[in-house]
């Protein structure tokens, strides 16, 4: 079951975001992520958190239309997003798309949210963040080590090392191909590669990396 987890960051509306929401069998909002969804005209199935960011009227509306609520078990130790992902997994998520990953004045929240993609429980679960015309996923040599892109010739594809080193990087369908390459964290060696076909693939051997796809034409295939 594809599941969307909505965080509190800004969501730039697009057909890419709408497609993710429309395909979701379950939509989980982390606290005020419910507000972001409502701005898109979408209701979550469940809201997770300590509810410190939801206004009284908003909270009343969500409860009145039957949205499920689950309290945060340890707000002083874990973020709402962390708990929302674990809830999605308990409900049978086989893939997860996160919206609202970035945005707002808190850099600490943005960094923490980005690294939610490397959550240990997600190593075997395809997990993406989608916003506007960009989609970002995490690759892990001990789990989901390969991903495929479907877009347009000229779309940007970037690979960023998260672990100290990422080895065995191999690509198909990119302008600057890689074969058993090694990237080192902090060197940004794989930024702004490009699709040369409508489909492409990235695979890694060991380590952890982010892989992102930006639709330069701002339309779906």
């Amino acid at each position: 079951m594809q599941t969307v987890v909505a965080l509190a960051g800004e969501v730039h509306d697009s057909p890419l975001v709408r497609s993710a929401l429309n395909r979701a069998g379950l939509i989980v909002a982390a606290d005020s992520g419910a507000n972001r969804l409502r701005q898109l005209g979408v209701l979550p199935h469940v809201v997770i958190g300590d509810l410190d960011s939801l206004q009284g009227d908003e909270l009343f509306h969500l409860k009145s239309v039957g949205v499920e609520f689950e309290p945060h078990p340890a707000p002083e130790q874990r973020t709402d997003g962390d708990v929302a992902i674990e809830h999605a997994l308990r409900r049978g998520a086989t893939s997860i798309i996160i919206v609202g990953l970035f945005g707002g004045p808190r850099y600490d929240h943005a960094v923490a949210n980005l690294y939610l993609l490397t959550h240990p429980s997600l190593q075997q679960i395809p997990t993406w963040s989608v916003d506007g015309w960009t989609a970002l996923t995490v690759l892990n040599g001990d789990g989901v080590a390969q991903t495929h892109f479907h877009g347009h010739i000229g779309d940007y594809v970037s690979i960023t090392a998260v672990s100290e080193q990422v080895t065995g990087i191999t690509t198909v369908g990119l302008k600057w191909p890689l074969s058993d390459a090694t990237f080192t964290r902090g060197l940004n060696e794989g930024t702004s590669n490009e699709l040369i076909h409508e489909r492409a693939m990235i695979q890694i051997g060991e380590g952890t990396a982010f892989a992102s796809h930006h639709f330069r034409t701002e339309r779906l295939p």
Side-chain angles (χ1 to χ4, degrees):
M1 174 177 62
Q2 180 170 297
T3 300
V4 167
V5 173
L7 305 182
E10 186 176 359
V11 180
H12 297 92
D13 196 4
S14 71
L16 183 65
V17 171
R18 293 286 177 174
S19 177
L21 291 167
N22 291 340
R23 296 198 311 268
L26 175 69
I27 300 177
V28 181
D31 208 332
S32 60
N35 290 332
R36 296 300 190 184
L37 290 174
R38 193 175 184 191
Q39 290 170 2
L40 300 175
V42 175
L43 285 173
H45 297 102
V46 58
V47 177
I48 306 291
D50 50 20
L51 307 183
D52 61 342
S53 300
L54 287 173
Q55 300 297 319
D57 290 345
E58 180 68 20
L59 191 61
F60 176 80
H61 170 73
L62 292 170
K63 289 183 175 180
S64 69
V65 296
V67 172
E68 178 184 346
F69 284 83
E70 181 170 313
H72 195 309
E76 73 284 359
Q77 297 175 352
R78 304 168 63 198
T79 66
D80 293 330
D82 184 48
V83 177
I85 284 176
E86 291 195 352
H87 180 89
L89 293 172
R90 289 199 308 271
R91 296 279 288 265
T94 55
S95 65
I96 292 176
I97 294 179
I98 299 174
V99 298
L101 192 75
F102 299 116
R106 296 283 300 271
Y107 274 24
D108 55 340
H109 283 181
V111 172
N113 287 346
L114 177 62
Y115 276 84
L116 276 177
L117 297 175
T118 68
H119 194 294
S121 299
L122 296 177
Q123 285 190 359
Q124 306 296 330
I125 304 291
T127 304
W128 291 79
S129 170
V130 172
D131 184 48
W133 285 101
T134 299
L136 181 146
T137 190
V138 64
L139 299 177
N140 192 294
D142 295 324
V144 179
Q146 183 182 104
T147 192
H148 294 261
F149 302 94
H150 185 198
H152 304 280
I153 294 173
D155 285 358
Y156 288 130
V157 171
S158 296
I159 312 163
T160 305
V162 176
S163 55
E164 184 174 353
Q165 282 198 324
V166 181
T167 63
I169 305 170
T170 299
T171 67
V172 175
L174 297 184
K175 184 175 182 179
W176 294 283
L178 299 169
S179 178
D180 199 28
T182 297
F183 282 1
T184 300
R185 183 175 59 213
L187 296 185
N188 295 329
E189 299 157 289
T191 302
S192 297
N193 211 327
E194 295 181 19
L195 294 185
I196 56 173
H197 302 291
E198 291 184 348
R199 294 182 182 273
M201 181 275 292
I202 296 174
Q203 178 174 301
I204 69 170
E206 296 183 359
T208 303
F210 292 134
S212 64
H213 176 194
H214 179 69
F215 291 76
R216 293 175 69 182
T217 58
E218 295 194 349
R219 61 185 176 89
L220 295 178

